[in-house]
Amino acid sequence: MRLVQALAGLMLLCCSTLPTRANPPPDRILDQRHRFDIHVQPLSGALRQLSSQTGVRILFPYEEVSAIRSRRVEGWMTTGQALQKLLAGTQLRMTQTSAGVVALAAPSRATARQSPLSFQLAQAASAPASGPVTDVTPIIVTGTRLVTRTVADSMVPIDILSAHAMEANGRQSVRDLLGALVPAISVSNSGAGASFAIKTLSLRGLAGDQLLVLVNGKRRHNSATLFINGTTQNGQSPPDLDLIPSNMIERIEVLRDGASAHYGSDAIAGVVNILLKDDRRGGASIVGGGTWNGGGEQGRFQVDKGFAIGRGTIHLAADGVLQGRTVRGGPITSSLYFPGDPREATADRMRNKPGQPQVSGVNLAYHAVMPLGASELYSHGTWSRRRADAYLTYRPPNSILTIPDIYPEGYIPHLSIQDRDSQVTGGLRGDGPAGFRYDLSTSYARNEGRYSEQSLNVSFGPTSPTRFFLGAVTATEWTSNIDVQRDVPLGLAEPLLLAIGAEYRENRYRIAAGDPASHADGGYRSPPGAPFAGATRTPGAQGVTGFTPDSAGRYRRHNWSAYLNLEQKVAQGVEVALAARHEDYSDFGTTNTWKISTRIEPLRGIALRGTVSTGFRAPTLQQRYYASSSTIGVLFPGETTTRLAPVRALQVDDPVAIAWGAQPLRPERSTNISAGLVLAPLPRLSMTIDAYQIRIRDRILLGGILSGLPDATRASGYNVLGELLLTRGLNPVQSGFYFSNAASTRTRGIDVVANWRADLGALGSALVTLSGNINRTIFTRLDVPQVLADLGVNLIDRARQGDVTRGTPRSKIIANLNWTQGNATLNLRATRYGDVTQVAARTVTVDGATFYPDEHIAPKILFDLEYSQQLAAGVRLAAGANNLFNIYPTKLSAVNQGASGFALYNSYAPYGISGGFYYGKLSLAF
């Protein structure tokens, strides 16, 4: 580890001491530098403005540029650079015909007939390297069908993350990049059992699968693995963003508003739209680093390059990662051996290994575009392979969960997950008859998780195998779309945009059973005189039990939808938009959603915007049919510390779940209201303030753990939950949880984003961003099935309620400084995380005092720093740190740490429990 730190320090020293290369003298007119301030406008006007500012005469075909809207060009740059920014995505070619004269021409007639939608995507994909959160000038593609809308005139709040912002960051995965750069997004870093490798994120404090993910405007598939036995994001299977190579991304748009009427299910909280590169540039980078306190070493290699294929292009990218585990546990304070064993006095008590998992993987991606007359073919896709493994809780030699003949020193279940993921999308878009523009597309995706484990099935005794195949889960999604739009003149300020479309989607889900030994009951009993003689042993592999033949199966559903969008500029400074969508699902019927948005700009630089919409989220096949069993820590009634026990994730139609009141799942339904203020009082200063309220009815949540237990004080010999099972002929001693629509919630909050671009003269330039989110979620309804209510038992227990209302930061504030001078760049970011509370399910009694052992994580500020230096053309060296001062979350109290040493730091911390990460990075551009 010290070698890694020394390497990072040496790279930082080299960056700060190596001389910079002198810029060549401006001996040509296109190389002369000017300070540009060209606002968004028709491209013809922008070219004339550039000509007047530089003295360069620009000849261009008016018809080719009359329908194209430019982006903003601002700051010091050469005339050639400014021209390239204006022409990005247009396919117009620039030629210097004589001194002071530049001619623009289209390479073929196809350019003149280029689809506005195609141009919109090209403009979005080639956004300037701007700040880390929002740039008001690029044309956006998310939340609108209009092909000339920018961030500045958007009716809804949108954050723009440029490739430049993502590169100036030690975080390489897409999920971590979003968590670092967008204050409204919080990342969950904790999972257990079969979901430790799946990390989720939430927008505005809502669930990860209430956020829709798009790639180039097309729906991204969800993970087959259900996030379970974790913290705030229990019961979800959202898209796995870590399987998209970050070096393939040109830009990310984050829409912070409900958008179900635009895109269908899952867009309750908002939309993340990932736009892929499609140019002919290339690059490569290698990153190496590790954590301050050891472990977590990471090596990542990335390379991407675009190529010409006839008149079209194809961009390819590869991303490989190796990540080491971290160990952040404490000592075991309980006894490890049976009384009288001399090994107890000298035993190593640091045996548990909690922390980030070990990961190795490779991600590949492509994006291809081929012009065909007035249309173009396009396709993009990803392919991934990943292996992740982690250690679960240690089983000591004196535990009934081990067999000393096999593991005389006890053992730690070692769980591995192999992910196989792919998605490919293809389509045709362009201009049709009568002024219509069309986009036909289809996409197929597949995600598979295969689980294996090295542990023990104690019910087989000394004959137990030690390696198990636990089974596999597979999810596929096939989505086809047709989108048609055209401008309809109505005599108002601008033509009405009319957009209609339809979608068909088919989802399939499969659970494959594991090896028989991974779930079977071998019936072993210890012989007389041996420890635990005659006691019943827990069947199945320890840690995670294999999928049984009863839980295995194949499931399918399909749905179709149709939508209508209208966007109209009524008068100068007044715009409205309407959207409506109808969905028809094969398994739960139909639903209708709508959205109304407006934007009013009474004065230049001051605008008001507001939206009212409804939304929905269909229960996933994973939530309806996933079933598994894990041995996890459970706090039983009357006990002060957790103990390992088998707990089942129950399907809603499982007989045990039905006995405890389960009902078929229904879709979630939401109502979103937002209002915002957009301010641009100065050319270099912009600010947005957006308040919102999101009501979700019939919210799909996992219930708390319900346990049927022996109870000698009752006539039946079991507690009330055990009696419910006993009356139905079921095993009365078991624990489990299931999904329900038993709750409704209300989330209120406010987002603030402010940007200031500073021209520092000889000291360079700087972009200062201050952004923040404050939100609060409460329950407005909390139902209990009648069979549980009669017994005084809650379904959504106190801990699950706390996950929703207090498990994510109450506030998150990010201050970012990006400073550039010559070939040197410095990026400094400070992030303040607000209050987080881990809420306990039950009271404990310690020293005569009874209380809920809630755990509070105090607000903390973490700093990220990166300094980079361009050593030569296309060569850049960087060194930096995430969590510069090695901040850890609050340690758990003694009652929640327990005696195992596995739980030391609070896993609800949104910044993890591994401490600071320090790295060096070499980047090449070609």
Side-chain angles (χ1 to χ4, degrees):
M1 181 56 230
R2 300 302 175 190
L3 178 60
V4 173
Q5 296 168 16
L7 176 61
L10 179 61
M11 297 179 89
L12 181 60
L13 180 63
C14 291
C15 288
S16 59
T17 57
L18 284 171
T20 60
R21 290 171 57 92
N23 292 324
D27 53 357
R28 295 182 301 171
I29 194 166
L30 292 183
D31 293 330
Q32 294 178 359
R33 291 174 61 84
H34 301 270
R35 181 180 177 276
F36 293 96
D37 189 8
I38 302 175
H39 291 269
V40 175
Q41 58 186 294
L43 181 57
S44 56
L47 292 172
R48 294 189 185 99
Q49 189 173 347
L50 183 143
S51 177
S52 65
Q53 291 184 20
T54 63
V56 176
R57 185 183 178 192
I58 304 175
L59 307 176
F60 59 88
Y62 181 79
E63 291 185 358
E64 269 78 350
V65 301
S66 59
I68 298 176
R69 189 172 174 88
S70 76
R71 69 163 52 84
R72 186 172 183 176
V73 176
E74 182 183 24
W76 284 94
M77 65 190 74
T78 67
T79 303
Q81 291 171 334
L83 267 172
Q84 289 174 356
K85 288 180 180 293
L86 288 176
L87 301 181
T90 66
Q91 299 187 20
L92 293 169
R93 296 293 179 261
M94 175 177 62
T95 304
Q96 188 169 0
T97 59
S98 61
V101 180
V102 171
L104 307 180
S108 68
R109 187 173 182 270
T111 301
R113 297 287 306 277
Q114 184 181 16
S115 164
L117 177 60
S118 171
F119 171 70
Q120 179 190 28
L121 292 168
Q123 284 281 72
S126 54
S130 60
V133 178
T134 303
D135 177 12
V136 299
T137 60
I139 294 174
I140 59 174
V141 300
T142 309
T144 180
R145 310 286 178 180
L146 191 64
V147 300
T148 58
R149 190 171 297 284
T150 68
V151 174
D153 57 19
S154 172
M155 298 188 197
V156 291
I158 291 183
D159 294 322
I160 302 297
L161 310 183
S162 68
H164 172 76
M166 292 184 285
E167 290 167 0
N169 202 304
R171 296 172 175 85
Q172 298 296 304
S173 75
V174 178
R175 171 187 57 89
D176 288 339
L177 285 167
L178 287 168
L181 299 175
V182 181
I185 288 180
S186 180
V187 175
S188 171
N189 286 278
S190 174
S195 58
F196 67 87
I198 305 298
K199 308 303 182 186
T200 67
L201 53 81
S202 67
L203 178 64
R204 290 180 163 178
L206 299 182
D209 52 11
Q210 291 166 333
L211 172 64
L212 177 64
V213 176
L214 308 174
V215 176
N216 282 350
K218 308 301 179 182
R219 179 179 288 265
R220 179 75 176 179
H221 64 283
N222 288 15
S223 170
T225 297
L226 193 70
F227 190 88
I228 212 162
N229 298 336
T231 56
T232 59
Q233 301 296 313
N234 272 318
Q236 301 171 36
S237 53
D240 193 335
L241 295 176
D242 289 354
L243 301 182
I244 301 174
S246 61
N247 60 320
M248 185 65 185
I249 299 173
E250 184 64 36
R251 171 178 167 182
I252 300 177
E253 296 182 356
V254 181
L255 168 63
R256 293 178 273 114
D257 196 47
S260 292
H262 284 286
Y263 302 111
S265 178
D266 306 344
I268 286 179
V271 178
V272 169
N273 191 8
I274 298 172
L275 302 176
L276 305 179
K277 296 177 180 178
D278 66 352
D279 55 30
R280 301 179 188 178
R281 294 174 294 174
S285 67
I286 183 168
V287 177
T291 64
W292 181 266
N293 295 109
E297 293 85 3
Q298 183 178 130
R300 185 180 289 265
F301 174 75
Q302 296 182 322
V303 61
D304 71 280
K305 182 68 173 75
F307 303 92
I309 47 172
R311 293 163 49 205
T313 60
I314 184 170
H315 202 104
L316 307 174
D319 169 34
V321 62
L322 293 171
Q323 174 185 284
R325 71 179 82 256
T326 58
V327 178
R328 298 294 185 263
I332 299 173
T333 58
S334 61
S335 61
L336 301 177
Y337 303 93
F338 292 104
D341 194 318
R343 293 176 293 177
E344 188 74 52
T346 58
D348 175 13
R349 314 198 77 81
M350 300 292 293
R351 301 199 181 189
N352 269 306
K353 301 179 180 180
Q356 81 177 17
Q358 180 173 286
V359 178
S360 61
V362 60
N363 304 313
L364 307 177
Y366 78 92
H367 183 200
V369 179
M370 173 64 71
L372 291 176
S375 303
E376 64 181 14
L377 285 169
Y378 63 90
S379 180
H380 62 263
T382 59
W383 179 94
S384 300
R385 292 292 184 269
R386 180 179 63 192
R387 182 183 180 90
D389 68 84
Y391 290 101
L392 308 182
T393 307
Y394 172 70
R395 274 71 167 163
N398 64 358
S399 169
I400 196 173
L401 302 178
T402 190
I403 302 295
D405 292 346
I406 300 177
Y407 292 114
E409 291 294 326
Y411 65 99
I412 308 178
H414 189 188
L415 180 63
S416 297
I417 298 180
Q418 289 184 318
D419 281 301
R420 301 176 179 179
D421 185 274
S422 60
Q423 180 165 356
V424 62
T425 300
L428 177 70
R429 61 184 172 227
D431 296 334
F436 282 96
R437 302 180 290 274
Y438 68 90
D439 185 353
L440 304 173
S441 68
T442 190
S443 178
Y444 180 79
R446 184 178 188 274
N447 179 265
E448 180 186 42
R450 300 176 62 84
Y451 312 133
S452 59
E453 186 177 72
Q454 181 178 348
S455 63
L456 194 64
N457 185 339
V458 292
S459 72
F460 278 82
T463 63
S464 171
T466 58
R467 295 182 180 274
F468 306 91
F469 171 66
L470 305 179
V473 290
T474 306
T476 64
E477 183 170 284
W478 176 36
T479 306
S480 298
N481 297 82
I482 177 171
D483 303 290
V484 179
Q485 63 185 60
R486 67 162 295 176
D487 298 327
V488 181
L490 297 179
L492 298 175
E494 289 184 2
L496 168 73
L497 172 70
L498 167 66
I500 58 174
E503 176 181 284
Y504 175 84
R505 187 166 73 252
E506 180 176 284
N507 293 92
R508 295 176 183 267
Y509 186 59
R510 175 175 179 261
I511 301 176
D515 296 335
S518 71
H519 54 75
D521 186 348
Y524 174 75
R525 304 290 186 273
S526 297
F532 310 110
T536 301
R537 301 291 183 122
T538 301
Q542 281 296 304
V544 176
T545 302
F547 293 110
T548 66
D550 289 342
S551 63
R554 296 173 181 268
Y555 312 98
R556 173 185 177 272
R557 79 155 171 230
H558 65 270
N559 74 289
W560 66 269
S561 61
Y563 75 83
L564 168 68
N565 284 177
L566 302 171
E567 295 187 39
Q568 176 68 67
K569 187 172 185 178
V570 180
Q572 190 63 36
V574 180
E575 296 180 82
V576 295
L578 305 175
R581 191 179 189 94
H582 173 79
E583 297 263 354
D584 190 330
Y585 280 77
S586 61
D587 51 356
F588 63 77
T590 63
T591 184
N592 298 303
T593 56
W594 53 266
K595 184 174 184 177
I596 302 175
S597 302
T598 186
R599 184 181 186 275
I600 301 173
E601 188 173 3
L603 299 173
R604 181 177 177 84
I606 301 177
L608 303 172
R609 61 191 180 193
T611 298
V612 179
S613 67
T614 61
F616 79 102
R617 187 181 74 82
T620 63
L621 294 180
Q622 292 89 316
Q623 290 174 326
R624 294 191 63 189
Y625 299 112
Y626 183 87
S628 68
S629 180
S630 301
T631 304
I632 61 176
V634 180
L635 182 65
F636 290 116
E639 300 183 3
T640 59
T641 59
T642 61
R643 56 186 169 99
L644 294 173
V647 178
R648 296 174 58 201
L650 301 167
Q651 296 178 356
V652 292
D653 58 357
D654 186 285
V656 174
I658 293 174
W660 286 340
Q663 298 289 330
L665 293 178
R666 306 183 302 276
E668 299 175 340
R669 302 181 186 275
S670 68
T671 302
N672 294 44
I673 302 174
S674 66
L677 176 65
V678 181
L679 300 172
L682 301 172
R684 297 179 178 274
L685 177 64
S686 64
M687 176 181 293
T688 62
I689 304 172
D690 293 276
Y692 57 89
Q693 174 180 282
I694 307 169
R695 289 183 176 270
I696 303 176
R697 301 175 298 282
D698 299 329
R699 187 162 176 175
I700 301 172
L701 295 175
L702 269 182
I705 296 176
L706 303 173
S707 296
L709 297 171
D711 187 347
T713 65
R714 300 178 62 84
S716 66
Y718 303 100
N719 69 356
V720 292
L721 291 174
E723 284 183 349
L724 283 177
L725 302 181
L726 189 65
T727 57
R728 300 200 176 206
L730 303 169
N731 177 9
V733 181
Q734 54 181 312
S735 299
F737 47 78
Y738 61 85
F739 286 98
S740 74
N741 295 99
S744 296
T745 62
R746 186 194 70 201
T747 301
R748 287 176 175 170
I750 187 168
D751 294 323
V752 179
V753 179
N755 292 304
W756 177 51
R757 299 174 183 273
D759 183 356
L760 305 178
L763 296 178
S765 62
L767 170 64
V768 180
T769 301
L770 180 63
S771 55
N773 169 263
I774 300 174
N775 77 87
R776 184 189 181 201
T777 297
I778 64 171
F779 283 93
T780 58
R781 176 181 68 89
L782 203 58
D783 292 341
V784 181
Q786 192 60 49
V787 293
L788 298 183
D790 292 341
L791 303 175
V793 176
N794 284 327
L795 176 61
I796 311 296
D797 65 11
R798 188 172 181 272
R800 297 295 196 207
Q801 295 177 43
D803 288 348
V804 174
T805 60
R806 303 172 68 185
T808 55
R810 179 78 171 83
S811 62
K812 183 178 176 184
I813 301 172
I814 301 175
N816 198 99
L817 168 65
N818 186 269
W819 169 79
T820 301
Q821 183 188 37
N823 293 327
T825 299
L826 176 73
N827 196 82
L828 175 64
R829 179 170 50 252
T831 304
R832 183 190 184 274
Y833 296 91
D835 295 321
V836 176
T837 302
Q838 177 183 347
V839 176
R842 297 183 177 90
T843 60
V844 298
T845 301
V846 180
D847 298 330
T850 300
F851 59 94
Y852 285 104
D854 295 346
E855 295 286 351
H856 180 69
I857 303 178
K860 292 189 177 180
I861 300 177
L862 274 65
F863 289 87
D864 299 338
L865 175 68
E866 180 176 294
Y867 177 79
S868 67
Q869 182 81 38
Q870 182 172 325
L871 307 180
V875 180
R876 182 171 289 273
L877 188 65
N882 299 331
N883 190 356
L884 178 65
F885 298 110
N886 197 35
I887 302 296
Y888 279 81
T890 309
K891 284 187 178 182
L892 296 170
S893 62
V895 67
N896 283 319
Q897 282 190 31
S900 71
F902 191 85
L904 181 62
Y905 295 102
N906 196 321
S907 58
Y908 278 65
Y911 42 86
I913 64 171
S914 295
F917 177 78
Y918 307 85
Y919 62 92
K921 178 167 61 176
L922 176 66
S923 302
L924 306 175
F926 44 82

